[in-house]
């Protein structure tokens, strides 16, 4: 089942079908939401497709419909948009991690460690989770971030956070509830896959040549030469990020 809730009468809820379960359109048809199709597989592709449907929206909320997030928590995030342009959720606050949620020590402290690394590299605000996909953005933030989107996979969520910090867009991170998901995760349920995501984050969101400012910051902090582009040169950083998962 897909947990959907309309917060305001004028909300437009978009469900992106990215090779979802065949019953998805039927489930969505019983709600006020609408379905759009994205044929390019990947989390980043799906979210970018959804964002493309929000060109007239003043605020854009991104949330996965797998039951892990509480729709009511949007009421925690929305008030902060009066002061900042991007409100990220955080799943690493112990009291909000509900029984059965997939947030073991490996994921929790891995996400926290990379969040702290991000704080240091970009001298940004307090961060405690780089993998939470529950977030709200203003129209201005979306328009500023979209030209920099590159990742089509699981690294997209972190790429958005890095770009927000790079562009000095005002942001804050707010604890949200994290619940057991419906179905099996293709990422956090497999430690090997989680490690691969850590490498992908390095390859496509940090030291990638299409974001030279991000790459330069990381190379300088870790003492990596300007020509160090390959996986073998930045393996040390990748090993520090292997605990990252969405």
């Amino acid at each position: 089942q897909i947990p959907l809730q309309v917060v305001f009468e004028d909300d437009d809820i978009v469900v992106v079908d990215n090779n979802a379960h065949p019953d998805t359109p039927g489930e969505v048809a019983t709600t006020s939401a609408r379905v759009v199709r994205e044929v390019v597989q990947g989390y980043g592709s799906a979210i970018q497709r959804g964002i493309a449907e929000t060109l007239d929206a003043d605020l854009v909320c991104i949330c996965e419909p797998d039951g892990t997030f509480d729709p009511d928590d949007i009421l925690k995030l929305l008030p902060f948009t009066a002061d900042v342009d991007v409100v990220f959720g955080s799943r690493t606050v112990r009291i909000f991690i509900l029984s059965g949620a997939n947030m073991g020590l490996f994921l929790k402290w891995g996400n926290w460690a990379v969040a702290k690394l991000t704080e240091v590299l970009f001298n940004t605000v307090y961060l405690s989770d780089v993998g939470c996909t529950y977030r709200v953005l203003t129209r201005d933030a979306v328009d500023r971030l979209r030209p920099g989107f590159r990742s089509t996979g699981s690294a997209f969520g972190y790429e958005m956070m890095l770009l927000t910090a790079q562009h000095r867009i005002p942001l804050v991170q707010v604890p949200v509830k994290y619940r057991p998901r419906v179905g099996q995760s293709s990422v956090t349920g497999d430690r090997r896959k989680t490690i691969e995501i850590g490498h992908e984050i390095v390859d496509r969101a940090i030291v990638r040549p299409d974001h030279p400012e991000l790459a330069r910051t990381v190379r300088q902090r870790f003492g990596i030469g300007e020509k160090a582009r390959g996986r073998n040169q930045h393996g040390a950083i990748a090993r520090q990020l292997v605990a990252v998962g969405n």
Side-chain angles (χ1 to χ4, degrees):
Q1 294 183 350
I2 302 175
L4 297 172
Q5 176 173 314
V6 177
V7 178
F8 302 116
E9 291 183 359
D10 293 334
D11 280 352
D12 179 21
I13 299 179
V14 179
V15 176
V16 180
D17 182 350
N18 190 217
N19 299 318
H21 190 281
D23 292 341
T24 297
E27 289 286 339
V28 176
T30 65
T31 74
S32 60
R34 58 190 176 94
V35 178
V36 296
R37 174 77 172 155
E38 173 53 56
V39 296
V40 179
Q41 183 65 38
Y43 172 76
S45 297
I47 299 304
Q48 290 184 61
R49 178 69 176 88
I51 288 175
E53 294 287 322
T54 69
L55 298 183
D56 296 329
D58 297 321
L59 295 172
V60 177
C61 175
I62 300 172
C63 182
E64 293 190 68
D66 59 7
T68 53
F69 297 116
D70 185 343
D72 288 339
D73 274 349
I74 193 174
L75 299 178
K76 295 180 183 178
L77 307 181
L78 286 177
F80 289 93
T81 60
D83 299 305
V84 300
D85 290 310
V86 182
V87 185
F88 292 104
S90 172
R91 309 160 299 166
T92 59
V93 177
R94 182 177 178 180
I95 195 171
F96 295 119
I97 302 174
L98 305 189
S99 177
N102 185 23
M103 184 54 69
L105 295 178
F106 185 70
L107 288 176
K108 177 179 178 179
W109 294 110
N111 274 284
W112 181 88
V114 180
K116 295 308 166 186
L117 174 65
T118 305
E119 277 190 48
V120 172
L121 292 178
F122 295 95
N123 190 29
T124 188
V125 301
Y126 175 87
L127 298 172
S128 60
D129 187 2
V130 299
C132 183
T133 54
Y134 204 174
R135 53 195 61 182
V136 176
L137 301 88
T138 65
R139 175 82 266 148
D140 180 66
V142 171
D143 293 341
R144 292 178 64 185
L145 292 172
R146 282 189 74 192
F149 293 160
R150 300 290 185 275
S151 178
T152 58
S154 297
F156 175 78
Y158 184 45
E159 175 184 72
M160 180 185 287
M161 179 178 282
L162 287 173
L163 290 170
T164 301
Q166 177 198 4
H167 291 302
R168 297 296 178 187
I169 297 173
L171 69 121
V172 71
Q173 192 157 46
V174 179
V176 295
K177 290 190 286 292
Y178 194 52
R179 311 185 299 189
R181 65 166 289 143
V182 177
Q184 178 66 36
S185 171
S186 61
V187 177
T188 56
D190 183 339
R191 182 166 294 194
R192 180 186 60 82
K193 181 64 175 178
T194 302
I195 291 174
E196 291 177 357
I197 297 301
H199 281 279
E200 181 185 357
I201 285 175
V202 176
D203 291 338
R204 308 193 65 173
I206 296 183
V207 298
R208 39 190 268 186
D210 52 346
H211 279 310
E213 297 85 359
L214 297 178
R216 190 176 305 114
T217 299
V218 175
R219 288 198 299 267
Q220 290 172 349
R221 293 300 179 95
F222 285 91
I224 301 174
E226 284 293 317
K227 295 183 179 180
R229 305 285 192 188
R231 183 182 297 271
N232 58 329
Q233 286 92 353
H234 59 262
I237 304 177
R239 285 190 292 273
Q240 297 183 51
L241 302 181
V242 296
V244 178
N246 289 338

